[in-house]
């Protein structure tokens, strides 16, 4: 994950120490040896590294490396793009991704700070989640007539790809 994706994830999803440490390790491998990056990598030695301390080192590392701090929208969309890539690459199961993307998009929609970031295309995840519930009761799709029991994964992957494209256009 790059730093934009980590910032976006922290804003709307979850904060994980491993994201910070992995990013710092990659920076170190590429020759960035700032004090904060080294301190962040050293958290690997701790059994239970503190996420608050890791975030402080991460924020300081961004400043030390001269990376621009992104807008909330840029960071959140970068994280959504990353998440979609993980689904397309098969690292995340499509049905699981529907639930996660629905949760993420609801976090955006219902957080007044992010109202301007919400995109109408984000509704697809709540619709697909409801359609999956209907399938579990042996009922047809409510929202997507071409979505059925036989094409669950391919259909979700198609929607993930379309969603990525919409987000890309919105950032242009």
């Amino acid at each position: 994950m790059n730093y934009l994706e980590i910032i976006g994830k922290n804003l709307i999803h979850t904060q994980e120490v491993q994201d910070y440490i992995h990013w710092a390790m990659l920076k170190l491998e590429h020759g960035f040896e700032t004090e904060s990056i080294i301190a962040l990598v050293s958290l690997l030695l701790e059994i239970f590294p503190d996420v608050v301390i890791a975030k402080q080192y991460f924020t300081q590392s961004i400043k030390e490396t001269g990376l621009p701090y992104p807008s909330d929208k840029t960071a959140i969309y970068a994280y959504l793009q990353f998440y979609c890539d993980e689904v397309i690459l098969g690292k995340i199961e499509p049905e699981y991704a529907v639930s996660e993307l629905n949760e993420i998009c609801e976090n955006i929609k219902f957080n007044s700070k992010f109202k301007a970031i919400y995109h109408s295309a984000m509704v697809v995840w709540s619709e697909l989640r409801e359609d999956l519930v209907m399938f579990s009761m042996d009922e047809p799709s409510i929202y997507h007539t071409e979505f059925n029991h036989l094409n669950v994964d391919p259909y979700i992957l198609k929607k993930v790809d379309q969603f990525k494209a919409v987000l890309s256009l919105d950032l242009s």
Side-chain angles (χ1 to χ4, degrees):
M1 237 189 283
N2 70 34
Y3 84 105
L4 294 174
E5 296 157 357
I6 293 170
I7 292 169
K9 181 179 179 185
N10 292 342
L11 288 169
I12 57 167
H13 203 198
T14 58
Q15 256 184 55
E16 296 182 29
V17 172
Q18 285 67 29
D19 292 338
Y20 297 126
I21 294 172
H22 181 72
W23 176 84
M25 288 173 38
L26 290 174
K27 284 297 186 193
L28 204 54
E29 289 172 7
H30 288 96
F32 293 92
E33 293 187 28
T34 70
E35 190 175 310
S36 297
I37 288 175
I38 293 168
L40 193 47
V41 171
S42 73
L43 292 177
L44 275 173
L45 302 173
E46 295 186 20
I47 295 172
F48 299 107
D50 187 333
V51 72
V52 173
I53 292 170
K55 185 175 182 179
Q56 290 170 346
Y57 286 141
F58 175 73
T59 302
Q60 188 59 38
S61 297
I62 290 171
K63 292 176 187 171
E64 289 173 354
T65 56
L67 294 169
Y69 206 83
S71 69
D72 288 349
K73 181 177 184 176
T74 298
I76 289 169
Y77 278 29
Y79 174 62
L80 285 168
Q81 293 273 352
F82 167 80
Y83 193 92
C84 289
D85 286 339
E86 296 288 284
V87 176
I88 291 167
L89 292 171
K91 295 179 181 179
I92 300 171
E93 291 293 321
E95 283 189 59
Y96 178 77
V98 169
S99 295
E100 288 291 298
L101 286 165
N102 180 59
E103 179 185 328
I104 292 166
C105 292
E106 283 185 352
N107 289 344
I108 295 167
K109 182 179 183 177
F110 296 117
N111 185 328
S112 59
K113 179 181 175 185
F114 303 133
K115 273 282 197 229
I117 294 170
Y118 184 78
H119 192 288
S120 60
M122 293 178 183
V123 74
V124 71
W125 306 115
S126 65
E127 292 174 355
L128 287 173
R129 185 181 51 80
E130 288 185 42
D131 284 343
L132 288 169
V133 169
M134 296 303 291
F135 292 169
S136 71
M137 297 183 299
D138 288 328
E139 296 292 331
S141 169
I142 299 171
Y143 296 102
H144 302 265
T145 55
E146 65 278 8
F147 189 31
N148 60 57
H149 296 83
L150 302 175
N151 69 352
V152 172
D153 286 357
Y155 190 82
I156 293 170
L157 289 171
K158 180 176 101 177
K159 290 299 178 185
V160 167
D161 195 45
Q162 290 171 347
F163 184 67
K164 259 188 76 178
V166 168
L167 293 180
S168 294
L169 291 174
D170 198 47
L171 271 179
S172 300

